[in-house]
Amino acid sequence: MLAQCWQLAAISQDPNRLTRPFATPAMARANALVGRWMREAGLAVELDAAGNLVGRLAGTDPAAGTLLLGSHLDTVRDAGAFDGPLGVLCAIACVHGLRDAGTRLPASIEVLGFCDEEGLRFGTAYLGSRALAGDFGEELLDLVDEDGVSLLEALRAFGGDPRAIAAVSRRDRHILGYCEVHIEQGPLLEQRDLPVAVVSAIAGATRAEVRFTGRAGHAGTVPMELRRDALCAAAEFVSAVETHSAQVAGLLATVGRLSVAPDAANVVPGSAFATLDVRHAEDEIRAEALAALLRAADRAGERRGVGVDWRVRLENPAVAMDPVLTAALADAMAASGLPPAGLTSGAGHDAVALAALTGVAMLFVRCAGGVSHHPAESVAEEDVAVALGVLDAFVRRVCA
Ligand code: HGY
Ligand code: MN
Ligand code: MN
């Protein structure tokens, strides 16, 4: 399975790093490879209208419902090999193991390779899982990427069917729940020397974009007191994000992207664009922090005669895991002789979107140094083996 993760990590749109955005040729190549592994495990494979890769294993009792497993196959820019793919490959290996053991379970199983959890290409996340949850708003099709390609055009070119996305919804189906195996993307399991832990909740998250509009000018002639320098306003905002987050317990706020125009060494920046990612386990604290940071952006602009406007691109409340499914995961851990351990997740996952459809549960796997969203991401083979054992016991329990 680890070799498969590394094989998959070689499929990228960038020559020397892993970047695999939604509905790209690299994603199509990844789907072809994972689709092959799904078939080898005995799954019937299709690409759904939203661009998700779906592997299905029928149960022995059509009335017993369907358990959803999986994770995402898209990545951030310059990504690690395990964020997403580990969960998809664990689910495939679990189904493969059931087949090799000659085990047929009453409930059906669907393994999902979600098409866009990170939101790298169109700025908003969970496109594939929102389609399954029946929450894919038509307005999303009008989003455009940095090349001006709309989500509708990208999906059509990819082999999806924008007009049939509503049919991807599982709302009218008997769904038993969704379970996702994922690297922890943090250091706690390593600190506690634990291979795996169940997730108790996922922090709420807001993604916003802030634009600063000043006036470009000649760097050699515009006096400092007459400038409307958009980058200086943005820089004050970025500094305020760091300072404010350090003062609020449990608050994580990040400016991950910053661009300047006209981006020339001898021109006073006329405009600047920044993203803002705000996370907290409690929704009202996150909302207060967002408001405070946007006020800081406004003040930074006012001081310089720089206009400031912003918009929220994604807003997800904190999500609690399903108690019944989480208890089944915990029992499966106990059956493997593992101590009970629970963690909250600062990172978002497709489970956030699927919580609108069904009960969700997650199993975290220790990752080296807690490093993620970075090529140094790595997991230990023995920890993945433990996770697979827990997932197998969980699936046998839930699908019985
Ligand atoms: O941003 C996140 O939390 C996730 O990696 N998409
Ligand atoms: Mn992920
Ligand atoms: Mn991620």
Side-chain angles (χ1 to χ4, degrees):
M1 205 195 315
L2 297 195
Q4 287 177 324
C5 283
W6 287 118
Q7 191 179 348
L8 198 47
I11 300 178
S12 171
Q13 77 170 13
D14 292 347
N16 303 312
R17 59 184 187 176
L18 172 52
T19 305
R20 195 166 56 232
F22 167 71
T24 53
M27 182 60 93
R29 294 197 303 275
N31 280 348
L33 180 61
V34 177
R36 196 181 86 214
W37 293 333
M38 284 182 168
R39 286 186 196 88
E40 288 166 0
L43 291 158
V45 181
E46 67 154 0
L47 184 80
D48 75 12
N52 297 307
L53 189 66
V54 185
R56 285 196 178 86
L57 177 73
T60 57
D61 175 3
T66 300
L67 174 65
L68 305 178
L69 301 174
S71 189
H72 58 96
L73 292 174
D74 67 308
T75 74
V76 292
R77 188 172 286 115
D78 198 10
F82 301 96
D83 173 8
L86 181 71
V88 180
L89 293 173
C90 264
I92 294 172
C94 178
V95 170
H96 210 148
L98 291 173
R99 198 183 74 156
D100 290 351
T103 305
R104 291 295 312 275
L105 297 168
S108 301
I109 294 172
E110 286 188 4
V111 175
L112 286 311
F114 287 114
C115 59
D116 183 82
E117 188 273 346
E118 301 289 3
L120 178 63
R121 181 171 180 183
F122 288 99
T124 184
Y126 313 134
L127 292 176
S129 37
R130 278 196 258 181
L132 256 83
D135 286 342
F136 188 101
E138 289 265 314
E139 73 287 353
L140 292 170
L141 293 171
D142 300 329
L143 291 174
V144 290
D145 67 10
E146 289 175 344
D147 300 323
V149 178
S150 73
L151 200 159
L152 183 136
E153 294 158 331
L155 192 50
R156 269 211 188 106
F158 187 64
D161 181 354
R163 290 183 321 280
I165 289 183
V168 169
S169 170
R170 302 297 199 272
R171 283 196 182 280
D172 61 355
R173 299 267 302 278
H174 177 193
I175 301 298
L176 301 177
Y178 170 70
C179 183
E180 179 171 359
V181 175
H182 201 288
I183 52 171
E184 178 202 345
Q185 300 178 298
L188 297 181
L189 285 179
E190 205 169 52
Q191 285 171 5
R192 299 178 192 173
D193 194 21
L194 290 171
V196 297
V198 296
V199 175
S200 52
I202 300 175
T206 303
R207 284 195 196 181
E209 295 174 347
V210 188
R211 292 188 186 284
F212 299 85
T213 308
R215 186 173 58 213
H218 196 300
T221 58
V222 181
M224 294 310 286
E225 70 276 13
L226 296 183
R227 292 186 177 195
R228 291 169 50 202
D229 188 323
L231 180 54
C232 287
E236 181 178 319
F237 165 66
V238 173
S239 176
V241 168
E242 182 188 43
T243 306
H244 186 81
S245 316
Q247 292 161 355
V248 179
L251 178 68
L252 298 177
T254 311
V255 176
R257 297 182 62 201
L258 180 66
S259 58
V260 183
D263 197 21
N266 59 348
V267 181
V268 176
S271 64
F273 166 86
T275 58
L276 175 63
D277 180 312
V278 183
R279 319 259 179 132
H280 198 280
E282 292 176 47
D283 292 341
E284 56 280 3
I285 295 179
R286 175 170 50 87
E288 285 162 11
L290 177 71
L293 293 174
L294 294 173
R295 284 196 301 273
D298 287 338
R299 283 195 302 276
E302 278 154 25
R303 267 197 275 279
R304 296 171 175 83
V306 168
V308 179
D309 65 90
W310 48 268
R311 61 175 177 162
V312 171
R313 295 297 305 274
L314 185 69
E315 181 94 63
N316 287 119
V319 169
M321 297 290 109
D322 179 85
V324 173
L325 293 174
T326 301
L329 260 185
D331 290 347
M333 279 179 56
S336 303
L338 292 159
L343 287 180
T344 55
S345 174
H349 302 284
D350 285 303
V352 167
L354 287 169
L357 171 77
T358 184
V360 297
M362 290 190 71
L363 183 71
F364 268 175
V365 182
R366 173 168 46 188
C367 59
V371 170
S372 184
H373 284 189
H374 187 285
E377 215 173 75
S378 77
V379 289
E381 189 172 316
E382 53 276 10
D383 290 349
V384 174
V386 168
L388 201 46
V390 172
L391 184 63
D392 175 74
F394 169 83
V395 168
R396 290 170 181 272
R397 200 176 293 255
V398 172
C399 293

